[in-house]
Amino acid sequence: MVGKKKRGHPDVEELLSRPWCYYCERDFDDLKILISHQKAKHFKCERCGRRLNTAGGLSVHMNQVHKETLTMVDNSLPNRQGLEVEIFGMEGIPEDVSQAHNQRIIAGFYQAEAERRATTGNPGPGGNQGNQSKKLKFESPTDLKKRLAEHKARKEAEKAGTSSGGNTPMVEGVQNSPLGQSPSSFNNASPYIAPQATHGASQGAGYGSFSQEPYSQPAAAYQQPYASQPPFSGPPGAQFQPQYSPPQQYPPSQSFPPPGFQPPGQNYPGGPPSFGAGSPPPGSFNGYHGPPSNTPPAHGGLPNRPPSLPPAPGLPQRPSLGAPQVPPYQMQQLHQGPPGTSFPGQQGSWAGNSWKGQDQKPAMSSTYPHSQGYGDYSTNASSVDDLVSGAAREADDIDEIIRMAEAGIKPPKKGEVAASPVQAIEAEAKAEVTSTFVPEFAEIGDKSEPTQKKSKKDKPQKMIYSDNEMSPEEKMALMPRYAFVPDGKTETSLVDAATIPGVAGTVDA
Amino acid sequence: MLNRSQTNSSPAIQYEISEPPTDAVSALKFAPDAPTRFLVSSWDKHVYLYELAGSGEEGGKLIEKYEHRAPVLDVCFGADDNEAFTAGMDWQVKRINLESGEQTIMSAHAAPVKSVVYSKEHSLLISASWDSTLHFHDLKHPEKEPATIKLPAKPHSLSITASKLVVAMASRLVYIYELQSTLMLASQANGATTELQPWQQRESSLKFMTRAVACMPNDDGYASSSIEGRVAVEWFDPSPESQARKYAFKCHRQPDPSGDGTDIVYPVNALAFHPVHGTFASGGGDGVVALWDANAKRRIRQYQKYPTSVAALCFSNDGKYLAVGVCPGFENDQEDYSGEGVTKIYIRELGETEAKGKGPK
C-alpha cells in the first residue's frame, strides 16, 4: 500500500512548483503574486513610488527620471542584490541558483516531514519501512518450515563441528549500539544490504532501519528463529524479539548458530538488563517504531534516496556570481532594445524599416543619453514617467536624419544638413531664419506637400491636426462664417493679415 | 458671489451648464475672487458670464452675455470680478464692465487678437495679436497709450505668473518676459513700438506647433502643449540644474480603431494649473481631460471622455471647480467648421484631494 497524500502537507512536487522570488527566496501561491511582490518590494522606485517590472527597468527609470543610479536591488538577500541578473517573476533565475533553491526546498521538505513523523509517531507516507512491514510480515508456513529445516540441519552440522557459544553475547552488546544509532554504519553494512532485505521483511514493521544493518548474516535461517518464533523471546514478549535481533550483528563468519540460538538461557535470563547495554531499554521500544527518535531526523527520511538527496544544508548556496556575467548595459540592451549608442549605425536603414513612433523616439533619444527605456515607454502609458521623453531641447541630428529619411532623402552627413534640398527650399521660404532653426524647418519641410503623403504612409501615428504652420484658430478665422471685415478695410486685406502672420515674423527679425 | 464654505469634502460631481455658447469656445476663465463666477468667450461673437449654483449643487446660470462685432478669441478677468478684457477677431482689445455691460476699446492691433492676459500685481494688460505684436497697457495710467513689442512670429498662447509672461509663438518660439521690465516699458513708451529683449528666448521643447502654454502658480515654470499630443514641462530658472529637469510626455493619443498599429494623435488644446495644488490639467482633441503632477511626473487621473474636443480649461481660484469647454476640434483639411449646438460647458466640482498630487512615495 502506497502511502496516501497527507492533507495539509504539500508534497515535494507542489513545493517545488511554487513560484519564488530570486531576490528574497520567498515563495508564493501564484506567479502573479510573485510578480506583484517583486514590483512592490524590489522594483519600486524609492523616489516616486513607481513600480517597475524589472531591476533593469527600475535602473533605467531612476537614471532617466531621477538622474540617479541604481546600485542594488532593495530588500534583497545580500548576495542577490546585483543588477546583472534580469529577473521577472520566475524568469531569469540562473540555473545554479534555481537548483540550490530546489535543494533547499527538498531538504526542508524532508526535514519537516521527519519532524512531523517524530511528533505524530506516524510512519511516513510511502516510506520503505511501511511497505516492508505490510508486505512481508508473514512468511508462508512452507517457507517457515523449510527454513526451520535448514536451520536445524545447520545446527546439526555445527554440533558436529565446533561450538563457540559463549562469546557471542558479549560481542553482541558492544556492536549493537553503534550500528543501531549511527547513520554512518549504513555504509559499513552495505555489503550485506541484499540479504538484509529479506531479513527486514521478516521483522516487525518498526524495525526496518534497525534490523537492516545488524544482520550481516547471509544465512536467513539464523535470523528466522528469532523473528518467527515468539516463544523464544520469552518474557519480554514479541517486542523483544526484534530488539534482540539487532545484537546478532556478528560478522557472518562467526559461528552464529549455537550462540545466538542455543543458549537462550544466557541471553534471555539476563535479557532485559543486558540488552540495556547494547540496545535501548524496553521503555524506548516505541521509539523504535518511530525511527526518528533514534536517528537524526534527516536520516529518518533520507536513507532511501541518498543519491538524489544530498545532506540537508542549512541554507542553499547562493552564489552571487551565479548569473552569466553580462554587464548591465548589455543586459539592458538585451531586454530593452538597442542602446542609444547604436543609433548612428542604424540610421541608414531606418527609412525602410518598420520604424514606429519615429516622431516620439527621436524626441526621446535626443534628450536622453540612453534609449534603453523604450521598452517601458511603450508598455506603460499611464503615467508621465513612461511618457517622459525629456525635453527636446534642440532638434538633434538623428531626429533630423530620420525625418529626412522618411521624406525619401538620403541621410546626409551632419555637416551637410543645411545643404539638403528640402532645407534649401525651406530656407528660401524662411529667409530670415537663423541657422539654429534650420533643422527644425527641415522637419516642417517633411510635412510640406510634396513629401507629406509618403511620410504619412510610413507614419505610425496620425495627427488629427498636423498643420505646423497655421493654428486651427487661424484657419477658422479665414472661414466666412467667422471672418471679420474691419471698417475701412477690404476683405482681401483681412485675408492678408490672417495668412501672412506666418511670415510676419520674418519681416523684422 | 456665493462663497460658501465647504464643510465636508463633497464627492466629485460634474454637470453641464445650461445655455452654453452657440458656437465653439475659445476661452474660459474663472473670476479672481468668487470661485463660482466665470467667463466664456466664444466664436459666436459673445462673451458669456456664468454663475455656479455653489458647492454641492448642480447647475449654473447665465448671468449675462456681451456681444462683440466678431468672434472673441480670448477673455480674462481684470482687477476684480466685474472687469473683463476680451481679445477679438475684430483686432480689438476691449474692456467690459460686467455689471453695466459697458465696453471700452483698449487697443487696436493690425490683425485679430489671439490672447489677452491681465496681471493684477502690475495692473498690466497684455494682448497678443497675429500681427505679431504684444500690447502692454499700464492700467494705473490708463490715459497712456499701450506700448507695443514686436514678436518674431505669431503668438499662439500667453500665460502669466506674478512676475513673468510667457509667449508661445509660431515656429516653436517661446519668449519669457519679466513683467517688471515690461511694465517699465509700458509706462515709458507711451504708445511707441519698441524692441524689448525678452528675459529668456527659448525654443519649444516640443517639435510641433505650440498649442497652449500655462504657468505654474508658484512662478517656477510652465507647461506647454503642441498639436502633436504632447506636453512639455520646464522651469524658468536658467541654471543647468533646473533646465535638466525639463521633460515632455505624450498624451491625448489613441490607437487607431482600425487596429493597424497607428496612433491617432490629438492636439492638446488646453492647459490649466490648479491654483492650490500646483498640478495641472490638459485637455485634448480626443475629448479627454487629464490631471498631471508636474513634479512627480505622474498622471493623477484622467476623466471620462467628453463628447467632442476639449477647447478650454480653467480651475476656479480656490481650486474647487474645473470648467471644461467642449466643442468640435478643428481637424485636418476641414472645409467648414461649426460648433453650433455641440458646444458645451461642463463644470466638475473636485473632491478635496482630487487634483492633489500623490507626491513621491
Side-chain angles (χ1 to χ4, degrees):
Chain A
M1 275 180 263
V2 181
K4 257 189 289 179
K5 198 166 95 180
K6 296 276 183 205
R7 265 178 239 142
H9 305 306
D11 60 26
V12 199
E13 287 73 24
E14 280 171 351
L15 283 176
L16 287 176
S17 67
R18 282 171 70 80
W20 57 279
C21 176
Y22 167 81
Y23 292 103
C24 64
E25 284 270 349
R26 213 178 131 180
D27 62 350
F28 297 88
D29 292 335
D30 195 80
L31 188 60
K32 274 185 195 163
I33 301 175
L34 166 64
I35 288 167
S36 62
H37 155 86
Q38 288 179 333
K39 288 170 81 170
K41 290 284 177 193
H42 306 306
F43 305 147
K44 184 164 148 182
C45 173
E46 57 183 8
R47 288 272 148 201
C48 66
R50 183 166 156 63
R51 293 152 38 124
L52 283 298
N53 278 330
T54 63
L58 178 59
S59 173
V60 170
H61 163 86
M62 297 274 283
N63 189 13
Q64 296 187 335
V65 176
H66 307 298
K67 314 280 188 253
E68 288 172 20
T69 308
L70 186 69
T71 52
M72 53 167 277
V73 177
D74 278 351
N75 303 315
S76 53
L77 294 165
N79 49 6
R80 304 269 171 97
Q81 293 172 339
L83 296 172
E84 62 277 4
V85 189
E86 191 84 358
I87 301 288
F88 177 74
M90 290 290 288
E91 285 167 46
I93 299 176
E95 186 60 23
D96 56 346
V97 175
S98 177
Q99 279 174 358
H101 174 85
N102 286 349
Q103 278 180 15
R104 193 182 71 115
I105 293 294
I106 292 168
F109 170 78
Y110 283 108
Q111 183 164 351
E113 188 183 61
E115 276 162 13
R116 246 188 344 262
R117 236 176 277 162
T119 50
T120 60
N122 294 332
N128 258 354
Q129 303 101 324
N131 285 344
Q132 283 179 345
S133 67
K134 290 186 178 166
K135 268 187 197 163
L136 303 171
K137 212 168 195 171
F138 304 106
E139 279 183 284
S140 69
T142 51
D143 280 353
L144 284 175
K145 280 177 188 165
K146 189 179 163 196
R147 289 210 288 179
L148 183 59
E150 282 171 3
H151 179 69
K152 279 180 178 167
R154 222 170 288 162
K155 243 169 40 177
E156 294 299 325
E158 274 163 19
K159 265 185 189 169
T162 57
S163 78
S164 61
N167 53 1
T168 47
M170 277 139 56
V171 179
E172 187 183 309
V174 174
Q175 286 188 338
N176 185 22
S177 68
L179 282 179
Q181 311 214 345
S182 97
S184 62
S185 62
F186 280 90
N187 291 337
N188 297 341
S190 61
Y192 299 103
I193 278 178
Q196 279 167 18
T198 55
H199 280 286
S202 67
Q203 304 256 322
Y207 304 113
S209 65
F210 216 75
S211 57
Q212 280 174 357
E213 315 92 40
Y215 311 129
S216 36
Q217 322 90 324
Y222 172 69
Q223 172 72 34
Q224 251 353 95
Y226 288 103
S228 57
Q229 295 176 6
F232 273 96
S233 59
Q239 282 184 325
F240 264 94
Q241 170 206 3
Q243 197 199 0
Y244 184 52
S245 62
Q248 313 155 343
Q249 312 161 19
Y250 325 126
S253 61
Q254 284 190 342
S255 57
F256 48 88
F261 183 64
Q262 204 175 20
Q266 276 185 355
N267 279 340
Y268 279 112
S274 73
F275 283 171
S279 58
S284 66
F285 276 14
N286 284 339
Y288 281 97
H289 291 280
S293 68
N294 269 350
T295 55
H299 285 282
L302 285 174
N304 292 328
R305 322 188 181 182
S308 65
L309 296 178
L315 272 175
Q317 291 178 345
R318 291 168 181 159
S320 58
L321 299 176
Q325 293 298 310
V326 181
Y329 70 89
Q330 271 186 23
M331 203 60 171
Q332 285 181 337
Q333 187 176 342
L334 288 172
H335 286 264
Q336 297 178 324
T341 51
S342 68
F343 272 123
Q346 298 181 346
Q347 285 166 12
S349 61
W350 275 357
N353 280 350
S354 60
W355 163 248
K356 300 195 173 180
Q358 90 284 6
D359 284 315
Q360 296 92 318
K361 290 193 175 181
M364 294 178 185
S365 66
S366 66
T367 46
Y368 279 137
H370 310 290
S371 62
Q372 296 104 330
Y374 287 162
D376 282 349
Y377 288 128
S378 56
T379 51
N380 295 318
S382 64
S383 87
V384 187
D385 287 341
D386 320 322
L387 308 171
V388 166
S389 63
R393 281 150 214 154
E394 286 158 45
D396 71 342
D397 298 329
I398 292 170
D399 189 14
E400 188 185 324
I401 288 161
I402 293 160
R403 290 174 190 284
M404 305 272 290
E406 282 165 12
I409 299 160
K410 289 221 166 181
K413 281 175 188 165
K414 279 187 184 179
E416 297 168 346
V417 164
S420 75
V422 169
Q423 287 193 327
I425 294 164
E426 289 304 315
E428 227 173 296
K430 311 272 172 187
E432 301 291 324
V433 172
T434 59
S435 61
T436 53
F437 290 119
V438 167
E440 176 213 332
F441 284 111
E443 289 169 22
I444 295 166
D446 288 351
K447 305 276 173 283
S448 67
E449 285 314 314
T451 56
Q452 194 168 19
K453 267 162 201 159
K454 184 172 191 278
S455 61
K456 270 240 167 101
K457 205 193 288 171
D458 298 339
K459 259 186 189 170
Q461 67 177 39
K462 197 159 70 189
M463 283 170 67
I464 286 297
Y465 186 85
S466 61
D467 188 336
N468 217 1
E469 300 276 4
M470 209 168 173
S471 68
E473 287 78 16
E474 289 169 85
K475 291 201 171 171
M476 283 168 73
L478 292 181
M479 293 177 176
R481 179 188 176 86
Y482 301 116
F484 170 75
V485 185
D487 298 336
K489 305 257 183 180
T490 64
E491 197 171 337
T492 49
S493 71
L494 167 70
V495 172
D496 284 347
T499 49
I500 292 173
V503 185
T506 65
V507 172
D508 53 335
Chain B
M1 271 167 276
L2 305 166
N3 197 352
R4 297 180 191 169
S5 61
Q6 219 165 0
T7 48
N8 57 343
S9 62
S10 55
I13 52 171
Q14 175 174 297
Y15 49 88
E16 201 181 316
I17 296 288
S18 58
E19 298 182 79
T22 58
D23 205 339
V25 173
S26 57
L28 194 155
K29 297 285 165 60
F30 270 96
D33 297 323
T36 51
R37 189 177 177 90
F38 68 95
L39 287 168
V40 178
S41 60
S42 167
W43 287 80
D44 69 2
K45 306 181 184 178
H46 286 82
V47 169
Y48 297 75
L49 175 65
Y50 295 95
E51 184 78 41
L52 297 178
S55 175
E57 293 169 55
E58 292 197 5
K61 62 175 191 295
L62 178 66
I63 303 293
E64 192 61 76
K65 48 192 234 187
Y66 308 92
E67 193 176 356
H68 287 61
R69 293 190 296 167
V72 186
L73 296 182
D74 199 6
V75 65
C76 69
F77 273 92
D80 59 39
D81 285 3
N82 281 318
E83 185 181 44
F85 297 101
T86 61
M89 189 82 104
D90 58 1
W91 307 10
Q92 291 175 343
V93 179
K94 282 184 187 169
R95 188 217 311 256
I96 301 173
N97 182 323
L98 296 177
E99 260 177 343
S100 66
E102 184 196 349
Q103 298 188 10
T104 318
I105 297 171
M106 300 301 289
S107 72
H109 283 269
V113 187
K114 174 61 176 63
S115 307
V116 62
V117 289
Y118 178 75
S119 166
K120 208 170 185 174
E121 291 80 5
H122 298 90
S123 298
L124 197 59
L125 174 68
I126 303 155
S127 57
S129 160
W130 287 336
D131 64 6
S132 298
T133 61
L134 289 177
H135 284 192
F136 292 88
H137 287 259
D138 178 1
L139 295 188
K140 280 188 207 127
H141 307 280
E143 72 284 356
K144 286 187 177 172
E145 288 292 306
T148 302
I149 294 179
K150 293 250 180 216
L151 295 175
K154 282 175 298 179
H156 289 313
S157 183
L158 291 183
S159 181
I160 54 165
T161 66
S163 69
K164 291 178 186 67
L165 166 72
V166 179
V167 186
M169 289 167 277
S171 306
R172 296 169 53 240
L173 294 172
V174 177
Y175 276 16
I176 303 168
Y177 293 93
E178 284 189 306
L179 288 177
Q180 194 58 45
S181 55
T182 61
L183 179 65
M184 282 171 58
L185 179 85
S187 56
Q188 290 163 7
N190 199 17
T193 297
T194 55
E195 298 280 344
L196 175 66
Q197 280 304 307
W199 175 57
Q200 284 183 33
Q201 292 188 27
R202 295 192 185 184
E203 189 182 51
S204 170
S205 301
L206 305 171
K207 304 227 172 262
F208 289 83
M209 183 167 66
T210 309
R211 195 80 184 95
V213 63
C215 291
M216 299 177 188
N218 63 4
D219 210 356
D220 274 359
Y222 62 93
S224 59
S225 66
S226 78
I227 56 169
E228 189 248 356
R230 215 179 274 262
V231 170
V233 178
E234 47 197 283
W235 280 262
F236 290 134
D237 183 357
S239 71
E241 297 79 44
S242 288
Q243 291 309 304
R245 290 168 68 201
K246 69 178 161 189
Y247 62 90
F249 58 91
K250 287 186 277 183
C251 51
H252 300 285
R253 300 160 177 248
Q254 288 166 8
D256 193 322
S258 66
D260 57 358
T262 61
D263 263 357
I264 298 183
V265 180
Y266 295 88
V268 182
N269 297 322
L271 293 173
F273 272 89
H274 190 281
V276 179
H277 300 308
T279 54
F280 71 96
S282 66
D286 52 354
V288 167
V289 171
L291 294 185
W292 311 86
D293 183 335
N295 292 317
K297 298 181 182 173
R298 291 172 79 82
R299 188 172 73 195
I300 301 165
R301 47 176 37 87
Q302 179 164 310
Y303 296 120
Q304 209 160 14
K305 268 190 168 195
Y306 292 98
T308 53
S309 170
V310 176
L313 286 173
C314 191
F315 284 102
S316 62
N317 65 332
D318 62 356
K320 291 236 162 57
Y321 300 99
L322 173 63
V324 184
V326 173
C327 58
F330 190 91
E331 303 187 357
N332 277 338
D333 308 324
Q334 202 160 339
E335 292 291 320
D336 196 13
Y337 177 91
S338 171
E340 204 171 335
V342 284
T343 296
K344 292 181 167 56
I345 308 290
Y346 293 92
I347 299 297
R348 179 171 278 276
E349 187 173 342
L350 303 175
E352 290 286 333
T353 58
E354 192 171 341
K356 196 173 180 188
K358 287 170 184 137
K361 265 177 255 171

